[in-house]
Amino acid sequence: MNVSMPHVLIPLAEGFEDMEAVIVCDILRRADVQVTLAGLGAGPVRSARGIQILPDALLADVAQESFDLLVLPGGRLGSQRLGEDPRLLGLLRERQERGEMIAAICAAPGVLAAQGLLDGRAVTAYPGTLDPHSPHYHYQETAVVVDGPLVTSRGPGTAMDFALTLVELLLGPAQRAQVEAPLQRSHVS
């Protein structure tokens, strides 16, 4: 692994949305990005669909490392559990204060909203997660919304677009194109 490649942290909590964690991790790794899947506790983490993933590390063991991006996968229960973890909430607040990249998909933008981390930003989320009329943020119904260091996305069906957008933001459009070409995606207009 090239030591200059970006490093991404994806915390996993029981009930995470399978596609949002796995697709994002897969696409980033295809781009040679170093990805650390970090569990909130020891042992395998069960997804919303019952798939168990053994994280690379415990969040407590990697929380002080430097990451270029922190990605929150969705899933209603997984997001709720992420939003209850004081270590993770501290990391999110620190990253936001320093202007560092945070990405959240599906129900996970709700974790950021509860901490006031969406204030003044253009955002999207799974329908019903955020108040589309909130005066605190600018809600949009597009697949992926990038507003400075904040990236949000709608749900499982947008996970690939979300992941490819993260590749582009971290490594540029040429790397995104290189990763996307062999995926054989259909582009419906």
Side-chain angles (χ1 to χ4, degrees), residues 90-116:
L91 282 175
L92 290 168
R93 283 189 294 272
E94 290 170 12
R95 292 189 71 77
Q96 194 262 355
E97 288 170 7
R98 293 190 300 253
E100 296 174 342
M101 286 182 66
I102 298 172
I105 184 170
C106 192
V111 174
L112 303 177
Q115 299 299 308

Side-chain angles (χ1 to χ4, degrees), residues 8-9 35 45 50 57 62 72 91 98 105 115-116 118 137-138 157-158 175-177 179:
V8 175
L9 175 65
V35 178
V45 182
V62 297
L72 299 180
L91 282 175
R98 293 190 300 253
I105 184 170
Q115 299 299 308
L118 298 182
Y137 45 78
H138 311 288
T158 65
Q175 185 66 22
R176 176 192 174 136
V179 170

Side-chain angles (χ1 to χ4, degrees), residues 3 27 30 65 67 76 79 88 104 114 120 156 161 163 167 169 183:
V3 293
I27 295 295
R30 286 173 190 256
E65 290 183 23
F67 293 94
R76 186 181 56 80
S79 294
L88 180 60
D161 293 317
V167 169
L169 292 170
L183 298 176

Side-chain angles (χ1 to χ4, degrees), residues 11 14 61 66 71 85 100 115 117 150 160 162-163 166 186:
E14 292 286 324
D61 293 342
S66 177
V71 180
D85 188 284
E100 296 174 342
Q115 299 299 308
L117 302 179
L150 177 68
M160 187 148 315
F162 178 62
L166 298 177
S186 62

